[in-house]
Amino acid sequence: MFSKVSYRRGVIEGVILFTLGRLGALITPSIFPDWTSVVAPLIFMTLEYILAPYWATRRIAAPKRERLSKRFWLLGPLLASICFIIDLVITLSCGLPITSFLGTQLGPALPRLLNDGPNHLTMADFALYEFRTILALFAFYTMAVVCTKLSQGGFLRFTMPAGGNRVTL
């Protein structure tokens, strides 16, 4: 009952989880009290890179004997590309994610690219951030989808012995 959604809905749920994590990464960690200033960014990062592809893969209904079909091989790159576009929009309109525990939000990247001043963002820095993001998304999402799908039952499945009484492990 829990994992009986369509492919489209699984992708949408994964994208929503990524978006929540990405928007949470905009929050300056110093506004959280005590130990939560360390835990909150980790939770947002987990939402972005680990939970989104895992949730989408677990929720998609699949036939019992389906292993890694073409649609699951393409789920990781599809999710990564959609999430990259969302990340690009959020970066340009809201700002870069906070990467350190003492960092502060400097504002949207688009005005920082166009204006000079102390918070100026160079095009090279912006391109480097986006390149690292797309590499991380494609690597983590593809790996998470494959590992999650394999752990659902298509992994290490073989039949023995080869006679009339077969046992599937």
Side-chain angles (χ1 to χ4, degrees):
M1 184 175 112
F2 178 71
S3 60
K4 299 288 186 198
V5 298
S6 67
Y7 191 83
R8 180 181 301 161
R9 182 166 173 188
V11 169
I12 290 170
E13 289 176 0
V15 168
I16 288 171
L17 287 173
F18 172 82
T19 305
L20 290 174
R22 181 60 179 85
L23 290 174
L26 294 172
I27 301 171
T28 304
S30 61
I31 68 163
F32 295 107
D34 298 333
W35 60 272
T36 56
S37 64
V38 174
V39 173
L42 295 174
I43 290 172
F44 298 139
M45 202 179 236
T46 301
L47 274 172
E48 279 182 89
Y49 291 107
I50 297 171
L51 191 60
Y54 173 78
W55 182 269
T57 308
R58 290 290 296 180
R59 294 272 291 154
I60 294 174
K64 187 173 184 170
R65 297 298 255 165
E66 180 183 33
R67 288 198 169 81
L68 278 172
S69 65
K70 186 177 180 179
R71 70 183 190 142
F72 281 104
W73 277 109
L74 295 177
L75 179 62
L78 175 68
L79 269 173
S81 59
I82 293 171
C83 291
F84 175 72
I85 292 169
I86 289 174
D87 178 71
L88 187 62
V89 169
I90 290 174
T91 300
L92 290 174
S93 63
C94 300
L96 292 165
I98 306 296
T99 56
S100 67
F101 294 116
L102 301 174
T104 59
Q105 186 55 253
L106 300 174
L110 190 59
R112 290 178 57 208
L113 283 169
L114 301 175
N115 297 332
D116 291 334
N119 294 331
H120 177 68
L121 180 65
T122 63
M123 190 56 120
D125 289 339
F126 178 71
L128 181 64
Y129 163 74
E130 292 300 333
F131 181 70
R132 284 189 326 211
T133 301
I134 199 164
L135 282 180
L137 284 173
F138 273 93
F140 282 129
Y141 278 35
T142 303
M143 184 175 54
V145 167
V146 168
C147 290
T148 303
K149 186 59 187 158
L150 287 175
S151 70
Q152 282 181 319
F155 192 52
L156 297 176
R157 184 176 297 227
F158 58 93
T159 303
M160 61 180 253
N165 295 332
R166 293 186 176 188
V167 177
T168 301
L169 303 174

